[in-house]
Amino acid sequence: MQFGVFSVSDITRDPVSGETPSEAERIDAIIKIAQKTEEVGMDVFAIGEHHNPPFFSSSPTTLLSAIAATTKKLIVSTATTLITTNDPVRLAEEYAMLQHVAKGRMDLMVGRGNTGPVYPWFGADIRKSLPMALENYNLLHRLWREDVVDWEGSFRSALQGFTSTPRPLDDVPPFVWHGSIRTPEIAEQAAFYGNGFFANHIFWPTEHSKRMIEFYRERFEHYGHGTKKQAIVGVGGQAYIAKKSQDAYKEFRPYFDVAPVYGHGPSLEDFSSQTPLTVGSPQEMIEKTLTFHDTFGDYQRQMFLMDHAGLPLKTVLNQLDLLGEEVIPALRKELAARKDPESADAPTHESLLKAKYGDKPARQPRPNANRGDNVTGGSPYQDSEGSANYPDLV
Amino acid sequence: MNTQAAMNAGPHESGPYHLVVVSGGTSDPSSTRMLADRISEKVARLAESREEKVLISTIDLRQLTTEISNALVSQLMGPKLTRAIELLGSADGVIASAPVYKAAPSGLFSSFFHVLDNDLLIGKPVVLAATAGTSRHALVVDGEMRSLFACLRTLTVPTSVFAASEDWNSKSLGTRIERAAMELLLLMESGFSHKIKEESWQNYQHEFGSAGGTELGIDLGSELMRLATGGRSQPQHG
C-alpha cells in the first residue's frame, strides 16, 4: 500500500491571516510539502494540472523534476495530467524525460479536466473531451511501446514514422493511472490496458465510487491482466487532524467555511460525517480511512488532500508530521494484516522492470546515426533486427 | 416525510400503487399541502372503488430546505434528500404541488426538481398542482411547471389543478381534482412507466449511476467503448 499527498495547486487567500501567498511563495511551499511527504515516511507526491488562476501548476513535469532531484525515495506523480488539451506526443516526451531524470521514481494519472474555457485556449472542445481523452491515451500508450509509430486519428495531425524520444527508462513505460469519477468508458480503458484506476471519491457518494471500481475490477479480469483482486486501485481522501478532535474542528472551520470547493453550503459537521473528509484526531482519521478498505477491498494507493483552501505552509507541514507519526504507521500495520495474499502490490519502476525482464538486463536503446527519417528500416535504434543497412561507401 | 403504510411497492399492474406527494408548501398547515392531500385522497378513494389499493408517501420540501440548497452548491446529498429520492424512485405516480409567489413555482420547489438526476422520473405519471394568492398566476402550472416536468421526461396528466384564494370554495376545483385523480389512477393502472423501463429504457439517454443509483447498464458495444479499447473513433477515409 502506498500513501501519498496530492495537491490541486490552488493559491487561496488564508482567511485567518487575510494574506494571499504570491505565486513564488506558493511554488516554494509546494516543493517543501513534497519533500516533507518523503521525510514523514509517505510514498507519493502528486500535483494537479491547471491553466488558469488561481492555480499555479501549468507545467507538472518541471515541478516534479525539481522535487525528484531533491528527494531519495519519493514517487512523483500527477493528479491529474490533462489527456485532452495536451498533445499526447508532448506528454510522451515530457513524462519519459521525467522518468529518466527521476530514475524511474514517477508515474502519472491521466484525466479529462472539467474547466470549459481551458479547452478552446488549446484548440479543443469540451463537448468532445471523452472521445479526445480515449483517443489521446491510445496514442500515448503506443508511443511508449513502439519505437516507430504510424498513426491517424481525429484529434491531432497524423504521424508517419514518428519516434518519441527519449524512449522510456529501461524501455519500461511509466505506469499510468486513469482518474475518473463517473465515466465507465475511462474505467474500461484502464482495464483494457491493465493500467490503474483512481477514484477520487472526495465529493461523491461512496456507493457511486464502489460501483465504478467494481466495474473496473471485473473488466481488468475480463481482459486477462489478472484476477479482480489483482487490479490496481487508488482512492482519494482529505483530512484535517489535531491531537484533540475539537481543536481540529476549531482550526479547520474558518478554512472550510469559505473554501470554494465546499460551495459555502454544507456545514463542516455534515461534510465530515457524510463524505470521506476526516476532521478530528489521528485515531478518527485511522478509523475513517479503514472504512475505505471496508468498502473497496484491498487497494494500492491512498492519496490525501492536505494543503488547499489557504492553509498556511506551517500548518500543512504540522499536519504531515502528525500523519507520519500517528496515522500512516497504524494504517500500514492494520492494512498489512488485512491484506489478501492474492491482491497486487502497487506497481513501481522496479516491479515493472522485473516483470518485463526477470533477471535479464533491461533494454537500453542506442540510436543509429542520424539518417533524416525513421521510415526506412524497422527502428532508428541499433538493437532493432529490422534496421536498414547503411554501408560506409568511403 | 411520512409513509402511510408499509412500503414495498415494486413494479406491478394491479396495485397497491405507490403514490408520492411532493409539496412545496412552507407553512403548517399549508394550502399547497392541502391541495396535494385532496388530490391524493381522491386517488385513494377512486382506487378503493375499483378494489385497488394506494400507499401514499408525502415529501414536505420545507423539511429538506437546507439539504436542497447544499445540493445546489455542492455535490452533497443529505440523508433526508437521499430518502426523498428513494421514495420518488419507487413511485408509481407523483403529485407535485407548488406555491406560486412570483409568476413561477417557488424556488424551493424548482430547486428540488433541479437537483434530481435526469433519469429518476422517466415515464412516471404526474399530477401538477399549484396554489397562489391571485388567479393571475393560473397559467404557471401549464406554462412553467409542465415544461419542467417534460424536461424530466415525466408523463403529466392532462388536467392541471390550480387553486387561487377564490377557488377553495368553488365546486369546480373539486371537479378538477377528481378529473386529475382519475387520470393519474388510469395511468398508474396502465403500468406505463414500468413498461418503458422494461421495453424502451435503452432508448433514453442515461448516465451511469443515475435513476437514484439504479441505472447501472453499460453498453460495452458503443463507439466510445470501442475507442476506449484501442479502436478508432470514426471510420477514416484515405
Side-chain angles (χ1 to χ4, degrees):
Chain A
M1 179 78 162
Q2 294 172 337
F3 291 94
V5 168
F6 62 161
S7 173
V8 191
S9 91
D10 60 312
I11 305 178
T12 305
R13 176 179 170 272
D14 179 340
V16 174
S17 71
E19 294 291 318
T20 304
S22 70
E23 291 179 336
E25 286 165 343
R26 183 76 169 107
I27 291 167
D28 282 346
I30 206 76
I31 292 175
K32 291 196 176 79
I33 288 167
Q35 291 163 344
K36 186 78 171 179
T37 304
E38 172 172 275
E39 191 192 312
V40 303
M42 295 170 79
D43 311 295
V44 185
F45 176 82
I47 190 77
E49 181 182 335
H50 294 273
H51 297 273
N52 52 315
F55 306 98
F56 67 78
S57 179
S58 57
S59 308
T61 53
T62 313
L63 177 75
L64 295 176
S65 296
I67 292 168
T70 54
T71 51
K72 297 248 164 2
K73 293 192 292 189
L74 188 70
I75 294 171
V76 293
S77 185
T78 55
T80 62
T81 291
L82 300 178
I83 188 68
T84 45
T85 46
N86 284 305
D87 179 357
V89 168
R90 290 296 292 139
L91 292 180
E93 294 171 341
E94 288 171 5
Y95 284 88
M97 191 69 198
L98 173 64
Q99 189 192 24
H100 277 274
V101 302
K103 300 274 183 263
R105 283 190 288 121
M106 61 77 72
D107 53 40
L108 67 156
M109 190 200 306
V110 295
R112 283 155 66 189
N114 60 4
T115 312
V118 173
Y119 283 76
W121 295 334
F122 294 91
D125 178 348
I126 194 169
R127 293 169 299 175
K128 300 220 172 85
S129 84
L130 182 53
M132 203 186 328
L134 298 171
E135 181 182 294
N136 282 353
Y137 181 73
N138 288 339
L139 173 56
L140 177 62
H141 191 87
R142 286 187 56 196
L143 290 170
W144 279 337
R145 285 164 178 81
E146 299 169 34
D147 287 350
V148 183
V149 171
D150 293 344
W151 182 86
E152 191 183 350
S154 307
F155 296 103
R156 86 174 303 290
S157 43
L159 298 170
Q160 283 294 314
F162 178 75
T163 297
S164 174
T165 58
R167 303 307 301 146
L169 178 65
D170 302 319
D171 208 20
V172 172
F175 188 74
V176 172
W177 302 79
H178 297 253
S180 175
I181 298 166
R182 55 188 161 178
T183 314
E185 287 84 356
I186 298 292
E188 174 78 359
Q189 189 170 44
F192 175 75
Y193 287 112
N195 292 343
F197 181 70
F198 189 90
N200 185 10
H201 70 317
I202 290 182
F203 301 113
W204 281 74
T206 301
E207 273 308 302
H208 184 83
S209 304
K210 187 181 167 185
R211 286 193 291 262
M212 287 291 285
I213 288 173
E214 191 52 31
F215 172 69
Y216 159 74
R217 287 187 190 279
E218 278 167 19
R219 300 302 289 171
F220 183 92
E221 183 169 299
H222 170 84
Y223 286 113
H225 299 296
T227 63
K228 281 164 67 173
K229 285 182 182 166
Q230 290 164 338
I232 309 296
V233 172
V235 168
Q238 59 181 143
Y240 188 94
I241 48 176
K243 296 256 181 200
K244 283 196 227 150
S245 192
Q246 17 337 2
D247 291 341
Y249 273 91
K250 202 173 105 205
E251 289 163 25
F252 190 51
R253 191 180 305 280
Y255 295 90
F256 176 90
D257 282 351
V258 298
V261 291
Y262 305 118
H264 300 262
S267 71
L268 181 55
E269 282 74 10
D270 281 351
F271 211 90
S272 59
S273 66
Q274 294 166 28
T275 80
L277 168 69
T278 297
V279 181
S281 66
Q283 187 55 35
E284 285 169 306
M285 182 169 179
I286 293 164
E287 283 161 18
K288 186 136 193 176
T289 308
L290 288 173
T291 66
F292 304 167
H293 183 273
D294 298 338
T295 308
F296 304 127
D298 282 348
Y299 60 103
Q300 285 66 34
R301 179 174 287 184
Q302 172 68 56
M303 300 297 280
F304 293 111
L305 176 64
M306 304 297 295
D307 78 321
H308 72 144
L311 288 164
L313 175 62
K314 188 163 170 279
T315 308
V316 175
L317 296 179
N318 287 341
Q319 290 283 304
L320 294 180
D321 274 330
L322 265 181
L323 262 187
E325 282 160 24
E326 303 201 20
V327 178
I328 304 300
L331 283 175
R332 281 198 202 282
K333 197 171 159 212
E334 176 63 24
L335 290 171
R338 290 183 179 195
K339 184 174 181 287
D340 187 320
E342 191 189 324
S343 69
D345 289 319
T348 59
H349 184 72
E350 287 65 39
S351 71
L352 296 170
L353 190 69
K354 193 153 176 49
K356 179 162 181 177
Y357 299 105
D359 296 327
K360 297 199 181 81
R363 180 187 181 216
Q364 299 300 338
R366 293 166 211 278
N368 290 312
N370 188 1
R371 59 177 200 259
D373 75 80
N374 300 325
V375 182
T376 45
S379 159
Y381 292 95
Q382 292 176 12
D383 57 359
S384 165
E385 284 176 13
S387 66
N389 192 20
Y390 291 84
D392 192 347
L393 298 178
V394 180
Chain B
M1 266 172 286
N2 68 304
T3 303
Q4 284 180 355
M7 202 210 74
N8 191 14
H12 39 53
E13 278 164 26
S14 56
Y17 300 116
H18 183 211
L19 175 59
V20 175
V21 174
V22 180
S23 166
T26 52
S27 49
D28 189 10
S30 137
S31 57
T32 304
R33 168 75 190 268
M34 278 167 57
L35 184 62
D37 286 348
R38 276 183 67 178
I39 303 167
S40 63
E41 279 157 23
K42 182 57 82 179
V43 175
R45 263 207 301 277
L46 287 169
E48 209 177 300
S49 69
R50 296 156 72 89
E51 298 184 345
E52 293 165 343
K53 204 165 161 14
V54 175
L55 308 176
I56 300 169
S57 305
T58 303
I59 300 168
D60 258 326
L61 295 182
R62 66 197 179 98
Q63 296 170 356
L64 275 63
T65 311
T66 311
E67 292 188 11
I68 291 170
S69 56
N70 283 345
L72 279 175
V73 296
S74 72
Q75 280 140 357
L76 186 65
M77 294 280 189
K80 286 188 267 186
L81 188 52
T82 304
R83 176 72 185 130
I85 289 168
E86 277 170 21
L87 288 172
L88 279 173
S90 72
D92 298 300
V94 176
I95 295 168
S97 183
V100 177
Y101 310 129
K102 302 278 196 285
S106 73
L108 176 63
F109 178 90
S110 301
S111 296
F112 173 69
F113 287 99
H114 289 179
V115 299
L116 300 182
D117 72 61
N118 291 336
D119 295 350
L120 188 66
L121 299 176
I122 292 177
K124 292 189 195 284
V126 178
V127 174
L128 299 176
T131 60
T134 161
S135 57
R136 289 185 184 86
H137 292 308
L139 275 175
V140 164
V141 191
D142 286 325
E144 308 240 346
M145 290 172 72
R146 208 175 279 278
S147 55
L148 170 63
F149 282 80
C151 179
L152 291 165
R153 301 178 281 187
T154 62
L155 184 62
T156 48
V157 305
T159 302
S160 50
V161 185
F162 175 81
S165 308
E166 61 265 34
D167 292 311
W168 288 101
N169 223 7
S170 135
K171 209 175 150 193
S172 68
L173 178 63
T175 311
R176 290 201 299 279
I177 286 171
E178 176 147 9
R179 234 164 59 203
M182 190 63 188
E183 288 163 359
L184 184 70
L185 183 60
L186 290 175
L187 286 172
M188 289 198 294
E189 285 176 0
S190 79
F192 179 78
S193 63
H194 300 293
K195 286 176 187 162
I196 289 284
K197 189 125 199 172
E198 283 154 26
E199 293 175 37
S200 187
W201 191 248
Q202 72 284 1
N203 294 325
Y204 297 77
Q205 267 193 347
H206 301 292
E207 266 184 28
F208 185 63
S210 70
T214 62
E215 173 46 41
L216 301 176
I218 294 175
D219 178 7
L220 293 168
S222 71
E223 191 173 306
L224 281 170
M225 281 300 190
R226 281 197 298 280
L227 189 57
T229 50
R232 280 280 191 76
S233 56
Q234 299 148 21
Q236 305 280 321
H237 58 83

